[in-house]
Amino acid sequence: MTAEVAVLGAGMHPWGKWGRSFVEYGVAAARAALVDAGVDWRDVDAIVGADTVRGGYPGYVAGATFARALGWQGARVTSVYAACASGAQAIGAARAQILAGLADVVLVVGADAAPKGFFRPAGGDRPDDPDWLRFRVLGATNPTYFGLYARRRMAVHGDTPEDFAQVKVKNSAMGALNPNARYRKRVTAQEVAASAVVADPLRLLDICATSDGGAALVLSSLDFARRHGVARPVRISAVSTVSPRYPTTVLDLPDIATDSAAAVEPAGEPFRASIAHAAYEEAGVGPDDLSLAEVYDLSTALELQWYEDLGLCAEGEAAKLLREGATAPGGRIPVNPSGGLSSFGEAVPAQAIAQVCEVTWQLRGQAGERQVAGARVAVTANQGLFGHGSAVVAVR
Amino acid sequence: MVEGWFTGDGDDFRLLGTRCSACGSVFFPREDTFCRNPGCQGGALAEVPLSRRGRVWSYTDSRYRPPSPYVTEPELPWEPYTLIAVELAAERIVVLGQAVPGITVADLAVGMEVEAVPGVLHEDARTTWTTWRWRPTGVTR
Ligand SMILES: [Zn+2]
């Protein structure tokens, strides 16, 4: 078990299509987190920014961009890019600085102004980039990968499109209660079934949209939290940032093929499961200890996959777990009480941080109508393009 | 489109990968620089043809026009195409590709046998970009 760090503050800029710069969203989220923590920006030792590559050149150096916007005050600065796992890696970098004694208080910020429509690779002819290749050679957008996973689940586990739709029904009911969510309308199974097919068998309402948004956290040492008058802070007890193990045998974004298992026998545990496993091991908890989970529901079917990879149920049992209501509010293990990405949309560098904001509010008992009663232990999970795994365990 | 990913015509069409001479790992798309097996000190990477036939691991389609760098004619109505991920038993690898034109998701099932055939990705007045396609065996179009 690794030493813990405290979550002193959490803040967000609401998700949506606001048409402003990612800097504005990040600064709004940062200021909210600082107010929540009761910490003056000038007393922050370090800032870590989760990068966006969509906001032009300053996006590549998000830490400094946010620091300049908040007012230069000399803090240690870090910027990290890990696609969807950027926010978790930013939290990981902040935690490492605190545990190493390099900083007492660290501000973590992620924000994005997403383009409309499909995500696409940067321009130019770049056949050495697998992300460019999958678009150029196959036209394989992110939703087509989600469609492949969904169809595979149907064939192997007997999941149905109706099961997938129930994930949307559940998450939209939660998103309707979340003032930071972009979509605040309950969706019915009939509405999912009536929406256009994007990548068979998935429909528009099975797939999460792109959005603008921002999220921020103020992390500190437990000593600082105590001196600051917070006796029982929410604590982060694990940050998993593992990579896959060769050979990866599940076709994954952005690759055109899996690794071949001809020469090396694959590990028993697939990559997504290893992400959660590493977090559990570091935190000294297991799936049975969880009060709630926030997972990347980039598609409804992918949320079901996470149930199994997080060990909430056995392989192939996810749809059954959903149908039993175990992952709904009031169930044994509510998943995505925030409303999930299906209610927020993707603001890539912000979303892993937003997951930790939600579990912080849940663990403090401040989640309002979305509150999971008596929440004590929470896990967040996601996966970033190019082999970035990420999961965070937070406890109270 | 991309150099050295496939070769041949008709029944001789094959996807081309590379194989590490030290550990036997196979790579597609071809890996010509490093063997990616972490337990391998690295050997010479030699070109190797992949199995022509495999079984459908999963499939989907693209009902909306993908963004560039995929090349389409924006003035023409969008024609969805089908994508098939195919498991090659000998290489123990799954390779994604477009289905031959005319094959829709309704024609497919997980586990079905398919074969690699040559296809055209895009052409303009000066250039034809060739590619590979997956076609259910027994289908002749
Ligand atoms: Zn090798």
Side-chain angles (χ1 to χ4, degrees):
Chain A
M1 246 173 101
T2 314
E4 297 173 323
V5 299
V7 183
L8 283 189
M12 275 193 209
H13 184 287
W15 259 237
K17 288 272 190 182
W18 304 103
R20 295 195 285 274
S21 152
F22 79 97
V23 185
E24 250 183 273
Y25 309 135
V27 167
R31 292 211 165 111
L34 288 164
V35 167
D36 187 43
V39 170
D40 189 292
W41 159 237
R42 287 165 298 184
D43 296 328
V44 170
D45 300 319
I47 179 166
V48 184
D51 290 0
T52 168
V53 293
R54 307 186 196 286
Y57 175 72
Y60 292 104
V61 286
T65 303
F66 296 131
R68 178 176 179 272
L70 288 161
W72 293 124
Q73 48 84 317
R76 180 185 293 268
V77 62
T78 306
S79 297
V80 296
Y81 183 70
C84 276
S86 296
Q89 296 226 346
I91 293 167
R95 179 182 76 144
Q97 291 177 10
I98 292 166
L99 295 181
L102 297 172
D104 261 346
V105 194
V106 184
L107 175 64
V108 180
V109 192
D112 207 358
K116 243 181 124 60
F118 293 120
F119 283 127
R120 66 175 72 182
D125 265 10
R126 294 178 301 104
D128 56 345
D129 173 7
D131 198 37
W132 185 88
L133 279 174
R134 55 126 168 175
F135 278 93
R136 179 66 186 88
V137 178
L138 299 172
T141 59
N142 292 8
T144 60
Y145 286 82
F146 307 150
L148 290 169
Y149 306 150
R151 173 60 62 182
R152 178 76 185 169
R153 286 197 63 84
M154 290 169 69
V156 175
H157 301 313
D159 293 8
T160 66
E162 290 72 32
D163 292 326
F164 302 152
Q166 285 308 320
V167 175
K168 178 68 178 187
V169 171
K170 171 181 74 71
N171 290 354
S172 70
M174 291 288 90
L177 303 176
N178 192 338
N180 287 311
R182 174 178 177 189
Y183 299 104
R184 301 200 54 204
K185 189 181 148 294
R186 282 169 166 270
V187 172
T188 65
Q190 292 75 15
E191 286 170 317
V192 180
S195 65
V197 175
V198 175
D200 175 273
L202 297 176
R203 295 173 179 275
L204 197 58
L205 292 179
D206 283 303
I207 292 168
C208 97
T210 60
S211 286
D212 296 0
L217 293 165
V218 177
L219 305 182
S220 80
S221 64
L222 295 184
D223 276 349
F224 181 94
R226 209 168 297 123
R227 291 201 304 275
H228 192 62
V230 185
R232 277 184 62 247
V234 169
R235 303 175 325 268
I236 289 179
S237 49
V239 183
S240 161
T241 56
V242 296
S243 55
R245 288 178 193 279
Y246 182 89
T248 63
T249 55
V250 178
L251 185 67
D252 218 335
L253 280 161
D255 293 327
I256 286 173
T258 62
D259 293 331
S260 155
V264 180
E265 202 51 42
E269 190 179 55
F271 176 43
R272 262 189 301 270
S274 75
I275 295 169
H277 188 248
Y280 291 150
E281 192 146 282
E282 191 169 272
V285 302
D288 293 342
D289 300 313
L290 298 176
S291 313
L292 71 140
E294 283 280 318
V295 306
Y296 262 29
D297 56 329
L298 293 168
S299 84
T300 49
L302 193 60
E303 175 169 317
L304 296 181
Q305 188 69 52
W306 278 115
Y307 295 176
E308 295 165 19
D309 291 328
L310 287 179
L312 308 184
C313 62
E315 195 188 332
E317 303 282 314
K320 183 166 168 277
L321 194 73
L322 175 78
R323 289 185 212 125
E324 290 167 355
T327 59
R332 175 165 66 76
I333 168 71
V335 176
N336 283 333
S338 69
L341 294 181
S342 99
S343 302
F344 274 72
E346 279 206 85
V348 172
Q351 54 213 32
I353 299 171
Q355 289 181 317
V356 178
C357 289
E358 174 67 13
V359 302
T360 298
W361 293 324
Q362 291 283 353
L363 293 169
R364 286 177 180 169
Q366 293 177 340
E369 292 180 275
R370 316 187 301 283
Q371 183 64 45
V372 174
R376 308 287 305 171
V377 181
V379 70
T380 71
N382 79 64
Q383 187 187 354
L385 220 59
F386 306 112
H388 293 105
S390 115
V392 174
V393 175
V395 299
R396 180 84 189 269
Chain B
M1 178 54 230
V2 198
E3 284 298 301
W5 283 22
F6 48 83
T7 185
D9 288 312
D11 288 352
D12 294 327
F13 183 81
R14 290 287 187 285
L15 286 171
L16 293 175
T18 54
R19 177 184 277 127
C20 172
S21 62
C23 73
S25 285
V26 176
F27 300 100
F28 181 86
R30 56 187 304 137
E31 179 65 71
D32 287 298
T33 320
F34 307 106
C35 172
R36 300 200 307 265
N37 171 4
C40 179
Q41 296 308 302
L45 291 155
E47 188 170 282
V48 59
L50 303 187
S51 302
R52 180 152 172 254
R53 293 184 169 185
R55 301 221 168 250
V56 174
W57 182 82
S58 193
Y59 56 94
T60 186
D61 60 10
S62 192
R63 302 283 179 99
Y64 290 84
R65 195 186 299 273
S68 67
Y70 193 69
V71 181
T72 65
E73 308 287 350
E75 63 277 10
L76 295 181
W78 173 242
E79 289 288 340
Y81 55 81
T82 303
L83 283 167
I84 313 181
V86 177
E87 202 163 9
L88 305 180
E91 294 83 1
R92 297 183 69 186
I93 192 172
V94 175
V95 178
L96 188 60
Q98 293 185 349
V100 294
I103 293 293
T104 72
V105 290
D107 302 316
L108 297 169
V110 168
M112 181 184 271
E113 190 183 59
V114 294
E115 61 190 353
V117 296
V120 172
L121 184 65
H122 183 66
E123 51 191 338
D124 64 18
R126 283 171 302 153
T127 317
T128 298
W129 286 273
T130 54
T131 189
W132 73 97
R133 307 257 198 211
W134 294 116
R135 182 177 67 188
T137 52
V139 172
T140 48
R141 58 192 137 148

